[in-house]
Amino acid sequence: SRRARITVQDILAASQQHPAPQHGYKCVSCCRMFPMLLSIKKHIQNSSREGYSCNAYYRRLKALWEKEGMLQEAAAPGV
């Protein structure tokens, strides 16, 4: 099985579903706050070294979104 690559768009999409009360970006897996998008992306990539499973969480979330998208496409009437 192919490992999902987490993109900035994935992080932003997840963050929009869980708005942060202050300026910055919230990791929806561990709830830590980060001042910049680059810092949260690095956190997700290196989370296992920090004792978190955020990378696995975001990969699974992306896989679920892709599966949902495929199901919606299959259910949509042909154009």
Side-chain angles (χ1 to χ4, degrees), residues 3 6 27-32 34 40-62:
R3 290 182 79 176
I6 306 304
C27 175
V28 296
S29 178
C30 69
C31 298
R32 290 178 56 192
F34 297 88
I40 190 172
K41 186 172 181 180
K42 285 183 180 183
H43 160 72
I44 292 167
Q45 290 171 341
N46 301 316
S47 62
S48 62
R49 290 184 216 144
E50 299 172 11
Y52 296 98
S53 59
C54 304
N55 194 330
Y57 176 87
Y58 276 90
R59 279 196 323 266
R60 183 66 183 142
L61 183 61
K62 183 172 183 169

